[in-house]
Amino acid sequence: GHPGQGAAYVFVKPSSGTWRDARLATILSVGQGQAGDAFGLAVTVAGNTIAVAAPLVTSGSYNHEGAVYLFEKPPGGWSNIHHPTARLSPSAPAAGDLFGSSLASQSDTIVVGSPGHVVGQHYGQGAAYVFVRPQTGWAARNTEDRELTATNGDAYAELGYSVALSGSKVVAGAPYDQINGQPGQGSAYLFVKPSSGWQHAKEQARF
């Protein structure tokens, strides 16, 4: 009865077949979800963890704050999953963040785009958040290891509209960034993890 609440469908390739023979293992959803959450607008898979974004989730007075839900494969297989393992949120959520508009993952790291995030006085400048799985598991993690923002970001540039992760590098798209006086020309920002960890990551380049 909740239009637009959304769902994610898990298909598993059989060990003796191909993706042509894949079967539906389960349907992921959130029991306390609401109409218009847009759960499933972005998804990413890393190993046995599936991250599903619901960027239009509203929490209290935070309209369209957004959230990301993590599901981990049970020992008996995906058909036995019933509830998310964890919910990822920014440490300082705000209305209109659209947290979860984009996702990327690799190994124990998940990157979440939040193109509506306010940075300083710049509405909609946007941000990307890096989450690293704790040794005790995702259930112990609910806020970011690092918030990535552009040093010279413009209002409504919407950094985090798209994100990509490869090893120690994150690229975040800002499709409405102003370049040389050209509104909405767009750019992408490269962030690199130093040896000291994502907590100290900084912008390295603007493309």
Side-chain angles (χ1 to χ4, degrees):
H2 292 169
Q5 178 178 329
Y9 294 76
V10 182
F11 296 86
V12 178
K13 183 180 73 171
S15 57
S16 59
T18 66
W19 279 109
R20 183 179 301 173
D21 306 308
R23 59 179 178 81
L24 176 64
T26 191
I27 301 174
L28 304 178
S29 62
V30 179
Q32 71 273 25
Q34 300 297 320
D37 281 351
F39 178 92
L41 189 141
V43 296
T44 185
V45 182
N48 289 325
T49 301
I50 296 175
V52 184
L56 299 184
V57 158
T58 294
S59 299
S61 60
Y62 296 145
N63 191 39
H64 295 170
E65 168 197 340
V68 173
Y69 298 89
L70 304 186
F71 299 83
E72 293 188 280
K73 181 182 177 182
W78 284 111
S79 59
N80 295 316
I81 189 77
H82 301 293
H83 305 287
T85 302
R87 171 177 167 165
L88 304 181
S89 300
S91 56
D97 274 353
L98 302 178
F99 178 87
S101 291
S102 60
L103 291 173
S105 63
Q106 181 177 296
S107 185
D108 289 336
T109 304
I110 296 174
V111 180
V112 182
S114 183
H117 187 59
V118 178
V119 180
Q121 300 298 315
H122 291 172
Y123 287 87
Q125 178 178 325
Y129 295 84
V130 179
F131 296 83
V132 179
R133 183 182 184 274
Q135 291 185 347
T136 53
W138 281 115
R141 167 67 64 200
N142 54 14
T143 57
E144 75 277 0
D145 288 78
R146 183 65 167 171
E147 177 187 325
L148 306 176
T149 58
T151 55
N152 61 339
D154 296 322
Y156 305 110
E158 296 195 13
L159 179 77
Y161 189 95
S162 60
V163 292
L165 170 65
S166 179
S168 61
K169 296 179 286 294
V170 168
V171 176
Y176 302 107
D177 208 4
Q178 179 171 296
I179 309 296
N180 297 326
Q182 302 292 332
Q185 180 174 328
S187 64
Y189 292 81
L190 170 67
F191 303 87
V192 178
K193 180 181 73 172
S195 58
S196 54
W198 281 111
Q199 295 87 345
H200 307 284
K202 295 181 179 179
E203 173 192 325
Q204 296 294 315
R206 182 192 194 195
F207 303 126

